[in-house]
């Protein structure tokens, strides 16, 4: 797979550092409110990279953080409020209750969008010790200093500061906004907090060598990415707005601590917009995943819709286009059911020359910096191709769906009925189980599995459904 690296600003081949398992870290949600479909577009980027890596035969270890402390209302001044604290005050809940509520909602939303499970969801407040240890390392190495109970990263100690975002110290100085409220004790106005002294009313605070306080937002991603993926991992994802300051600061922290580059490829996704404006709670133009369903749209159709735009580009969300994608998804599923009725889907070894050519083109597209618009073109050509028999068309789409995650076989699955032979095997098996003849029951299970079925046992008997 090739991906565009925001740091070197070129498309490059992504090869796992250990040759086998792609290690991916995705900045996850700040759980102080419901995520909107713009956030979800960015989370789908990490999912897509994981899916393509698996499609290409790699192992994947995917880590996503859950931010539940330290993300301030203003990234660049020193006086913002913690978003978790504000939400807690607004809703009359504790910050931990807020986190639990919106973390649960996030998982529901991402599942509805076919975003697979990460291997690890790491929660910032579970890793305060890791953040403190990293902060102490940075102080020891001369990259950070304490003042008045807070610890700041000294940006001048890291000569490469600005290499990701272009916000070098010279640039920052020139563009420095005088109206920003900056802690006067800082050595440089761009120094950022690793640890902040807790004010008197603050609920979430922890003891530290510098007194009671709480971590800055950026330090969690340095601490947790290296804890779960080591100090050299392959891919780091986030939305475009995270390049600065979040990822610029993560680079300064992680590289300052370990003395070498940590992330192989930085991947950033473009914004989802509505009427030309970034989708954001503050802009009051957000759409939630649950609202898609309320409007009669399958959330997976939003997935299909996003495939129409390259991930790096901004994408405008329009309801007409959303409904169009919903129609297209229904049509695809209907075609899959028609092809399924015509016979089984053959394995790749039996595919025709034409089917193999489509498979190659699809693989090229998804491997080419996730060229999903092109992948969807290939898919559409398969659907109408006279050269590929129906069973192979279904086989191709089933394979493509490992990347697309559109549940294309849903209607085929629901329309499917077991044959008379399958039904009689199921009754024989129920009888064997009732008679506690488990050897016979197992033998029948093996026959059913051999027929391409999934066998599910419940107290009231066995049911089968078709695999693939
Ligand atoms: P947050 O929950 O605010 O920390 O944001 C989670 C992720 O959503 C980050 O990677 C952001 O870059 C991303 N994000 C925020 N707004 C949008 C948007 N309108 N379109 C795409 N991604 C977004
Ligand atoms: Zn992050």
């Amino acid at each position: 797979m090739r991906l565009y690296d925001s740091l070197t600003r070129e498309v490059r081949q992504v090869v796992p550092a250990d040759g086998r398992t792609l290690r991916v870290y995705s900045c996850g949600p700040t759980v102080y409110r419901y995520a909107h479909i713009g956030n979800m577009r960015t989370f789908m980027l990490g999912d897509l990279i994981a899916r393509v890596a698996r499609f290409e035969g790699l192992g994947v270890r995917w880590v996503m953080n859950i931010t539940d402390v330290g993300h301030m209302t203003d990234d660049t001044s020193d006086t913002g409020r913690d978003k978790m604290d504000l939400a807690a005050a607004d809703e009359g809940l504790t910050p931990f209750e807020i986190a639990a509520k919106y973390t649960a909602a996030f998982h529901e939303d991402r599942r509805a969008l076919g975003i697979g499970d990460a291997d690890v969801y790491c929660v910032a407040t579970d890793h305060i010790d890791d953040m403190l240890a990293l902060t102490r390392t940075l102080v020891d190495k001369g990259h950070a200093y304490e003042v008045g109970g807070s610890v700041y990263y000294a940006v001048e100690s890291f000569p490469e500061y600005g290499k990701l975002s272009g916000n070098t110290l010279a640039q920052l100085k020139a563009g420095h906004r005088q109206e920003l409220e900056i802690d006067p004790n800082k050595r440089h106005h761009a120094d950022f907090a690793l640890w902040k002294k807790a004010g008197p009313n603050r609920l979430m605070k922890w003891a530290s060598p510098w007194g009671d306080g709480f971590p800055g937002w950026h330090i969690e991603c340095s601490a947790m990415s290296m804890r779960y993926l080591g100090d050299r991992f392959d891919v780091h994802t986030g939305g475009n707005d995270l390049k600065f300051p979040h990822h610029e600061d993560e680079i300064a922290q992680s590289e300052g601590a370990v003395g070498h580059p940590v992330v192989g490829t930085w991947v950033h996704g473009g914004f989802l917009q509505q009427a030309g404006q970034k989708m954001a709670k503050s802009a009051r133009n957000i759409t939630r995943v649950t609202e898609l369903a309320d409007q009669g749209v399958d959330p997976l159709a939003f997935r299909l819709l996003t495939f129409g735009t390259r991930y790096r580009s901004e994408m405008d969300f329009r309801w007409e286009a959303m409904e169009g994608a919903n129609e297209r998804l229904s049509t695809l599923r209907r075609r899959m059911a028609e092809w399924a009725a015509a016979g089984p889907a053959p394995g790749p070894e039996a595919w025709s020359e034409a089917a193999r050519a489509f498979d190659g083109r699809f693989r090229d597209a998804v491997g080419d910096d996730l060229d999903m618009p092109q992948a969807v073109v290939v898919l559409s050509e398969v659907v109408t191709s006279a050269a590929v028999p129906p069973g192979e068309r279904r086989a191709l789409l089933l394979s493509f769906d490992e990347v697309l995650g559109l549940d294309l076989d849903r209607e085929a699955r629901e329309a499917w009925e077991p044959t008379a032979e399958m039904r009689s095997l199921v009754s024989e098996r129920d009888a064997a189980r009732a008679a506690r003849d488990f050897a016979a029951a197992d033998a029948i299970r093996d026959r059913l599995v051999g027929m391409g079925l999934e066998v599910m046992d419940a107290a009231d008997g066995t049911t089968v459904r078709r695999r693939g």
Side-chain angles (χ1 to χ4, degrees), residues 306-361:
T306 64
F307 295 154
T309 307
R310 295 293 293 261
Y311 75 87
R312 273 197 276 149
S313 306
E314 275 142 20
M315 168 182 162
D316 215 47
F317 179 74
R318 287 184 302 111
W319 277 103
E320 311 83 85
M322 183 67 266
E323 277 152 19
N326 200 42
E327 280 298 307
R328 287 185 63 203
L329 183 56
S330 306
T331 306
L332 284 169
R333 288 178 177 154
R334 201 157 50 241
R335 299 304 308 271
M336 289 289 273
E338 288 162 15
W339 299 330
E349 59 297 334
W351 288 354
S352 62
E353 209 46 53
R356 280 173 209 272
F358 279 121
D359 180 53
R361 284 176 57 205

Side-chain angles (χ1 to χ4, degrees), residues 21 126 175 192 207 267 379 390 405:
T21 302
D126 291 341
F192 57 90
V267 184
L379 171 114

